[in-house]
Amino acid sequence: MTNLKPLEPHDIISSGIKPTGVLHYGNYFGAIRQYINLQDTAEAFYFIVDYHALTTLPTPDTLRVDTFRMALDWIALGLDPDKASLFVQSDVPEVTELAWIFSNLLPAGDLERGVSFKDAKQRGDTPNAGLLNYPVLQAADILIYRGSVVPVGKDQTQNIEIAKRIANRFNRRFTSDKPYFHPPRPWVIEEVAVVPGLDGQKMSKSYNNTIAIFEEPEVLRKKVMAIPTASTPLSEPMDPDSDHVFSLIRLVGDEETVSSIRDSYLRGGFGFRRAKEELINLLESYFADARERRDELVAKPDVVRDAMVAGAERARVRAQETMRDVRELTGLNWKNAAR
Ligand code: TRP
């Protein structure tokens, strides 16, 4: 869609992952799969944004557990912590210092026009100052690792625009010859096909029509069996193209399987119950490997922990380099005056 310019060798990928909710198929096919594939393309920093999550004031337990679970899920789904740095945002606290410095480069009005903040106000909420400043922290997230490419959903383009503006303002104000920050560009994934939910609408937590990637088998069965279908008599042909069960089959089945199931639909005498059984098998086998890896990681949480700690150490080295430069460029180095 927008900006799928191929990455350059000097590009650095940086993106934040919100530690909320249980991952579903829509998250996977719509985003995670492509993000994980980027690990083979360029240097990448992926961080679970626990500071950002504080804007919704989760309980401490929820925050801890959701943060850890997100790390576990991403590694189970194929993120290789030896290729990309995966870590928790607050393990690199320097990012909050950069956010403070950045917040002075942006008129407050720009933040009041931020979509999340504006929407919250329109809903009649009284959003906190954390939500107002959210985009500034996001800009610091990206730029502290010198990120130039930001894989994000379409809803994030405004935030990336703000990061770009901050990078340019910083360069203009504090550098004379060579710009210091690369203005980042969004890398928005083309939605090849909208991932359908259980009711045929786009799969989304807000529609309550999701199938979790790591759904318990009994829950998966119940959900699939409850998908509404046409009242075609068993002996008659069924229409695959208007059927939600079939659109999910198409998502997770290989070509051959999908076309043979399609034939069964058209032949008649097949029935939605069997179609649903097929779907359950396909869903289960699609993520069987990831599920197995996940079970292993659950049994050995130290593996996840160590990977995250190592990721944070790598990221922190980069962040501290940036902060040394930024402090010098902005005059937060008074000792140089006293020499
Ligand atoms: N705001 C992003 C979201 O809602 C999460 C995020 C935080 C992020 N920091 C980031 C994304 C930095 C990209 C880069 O999904």
Side-chain angles (χ1 to χ4, degrees):
M1 173 168 313
T2 47
N3 216 327
L4 279 176
K5 235 176 35 184
L7 302 194
E8 309 277 345
H10 63 257
D11 271 329
I12 295 175
I13 297 162
S14 122
S15 190
I17 302 163
K18 279 207 291 200
T20 46
V22 169
L23 296 177
H24 56 71
Y25 280 77
N27 300 136
Y28 184 75
F29 291 106
I32 298 173
R33 180 172 61 169
Q34 290 87 332
Y35 292 9
I36 289 177
N37 287 340
L38 284 176
Q39 71 191 3
D40 295 313
T41 312
E43 185 175 15
F45 295 90
Y46 289 123
F47 34 90
I48 302 170
V49 293
D50 57 347
Y51 282 139
H52 277 117
L54 282 179
T55 55
T56 63
L57 296 174
T59 68
D61 264 340
T62 307
L63 185 57
R64 267 188 289 270
V65 169
D66 284 355
T67 299
F68 186 75
R69 197 193 42 210
M70 200 52 73
L72 200 106
D73 286 355
W74 274 66
I75 296 174
L77 290 171
L79 186 125
D80 179 349
D82 291 329
K83 290 185 178 166
S85 297
L86 178 69
F87 57 99
V88 176
Q89 184 186 31
S90 68
D91 280 344
V92 187
E94 285 81 356
V95 75
T96 59
E97 184 189 355
L98 187 58
W100 172 256
I101 295 168
F102 281 172
S103 70
N104 303 291
L105 295 174
L106 205 67
D110 284 14
L111 294 174
E112 279 156 11
R113 281 187 294 276
V115 260
S116 314
F117 186 77
K118 229 173 46 190
D119 288 355
K121 277 187 88 168
Q122 260 156 19
R123 275 199 307 272
D125 298 350
T126 38
N128 55 37
L131 193 66
L132 181 70
N133 286 311
Y134 187 116
V136 178
L137 180 58
Q138 181 161 348
D141 275 338
I142 298 166
L143 296 172
I144 204 165
Y145 308 112
R146 322 298 294 281
S148 53
V149 172
V150 191
V152 277
K154 252 190 291 187
D155 63 327
Q156 292 296 307
T157 39
Q158 189 191 41
N159 285 342
I160 309 306
E161 201 44 53
I162 291 176
K164 214 190 290 179
R165 207 174 306 155
I166 289 177
N168 285 327
R169 295 243 167 101
F170 185 95
N171 291 337
R172 231 178 297 137
R173 166 135 197 109
F174 296 115
T175 65
S176 45
D177 42 353
K178 215 162 129 270
Y180 186 73
F181 289 115
H182 251 298
R185 62 183 200 274
W187 191 86
V188 179
I189 290 152
E190 190 164 358
E191 272 188 64
V192 188
V194 173
V195 177
L198 294 168
D199 55 0
Q201 288 190 87
K202 177 183 168 151
M203 188 179 287
S204 159
K205 208 167 69 172
S206 43
Y207 297 150
N208 203 7
N209 64 356
T210 62
I211 310 175
I213 295 172
F214 300 113
E215 200 80 78
E216 290 301 325
E218 322 80 74
V219 180
L220 177 66
R221 165 161 290 272
K222 251 209 208 114
K223 282 188 172 181
V224 170
M225 286 301 166
I227 298 176
T229 50
S231 49
T232 320
L234 183 60
S235 57
E236 306 230 325
M238 300 156 24
D239 176 20
D241 297 317
S242 62
D243 179 40
H244 307 327
V245 179
F246 190 75
S247 51
L248 285 164
I249 288 174
R250 221 165 26 196
L251 181 69
V252 285
D254 59 54
E255 222 175 297
E256 205 179 316
T257 312
V258 173
S259 100
S260 106
I261 296 177
R262 189 185 178 86
D263 290 344
S264 308
Y265 266 67
L266 298 173
R267 211 178 300 122
F270 185 58
F272 289 108
R273 188 169 183 92
R274 268 181 61 198
K276 288 177 172 179
E277 296 288 353
E278 295 278 2
L279 174 59
I280 291 168
N281 289 338
L282 288 172
L283 289 170
E284 277 174 349
S285 67
Y286 196 92
F287 284 114
D289 290 347
R291 192 181 282 267
E292 198 178 309
R293 259 198 310 273
R294 191 177 191 280
D295 289 344
E296 281 166 26
L297 294 171
V298 169
K300 288 195 216 135
D302 282 357
V303 173
V304 177
R305 235 189 91 148
D306 293 351
M308 303 294 286
V309 169
E313 272 168 18
R314 280 197 299 266
R316 203 161 183 202
V317 169
R318 177 71 53 93
Q320 285 174 345
E321 267 167 31
T322 304
M323 289 318 294
R324 250 193 316 274
D325 295 341
V326 166
R327 286 173 145 259
E328 207 171 291
L329 288 166
T330 50
L332 293 165
N333 61 340
W334 66 272
K335 293 187 196 85
N336 281 8
R339 260 216 287 267

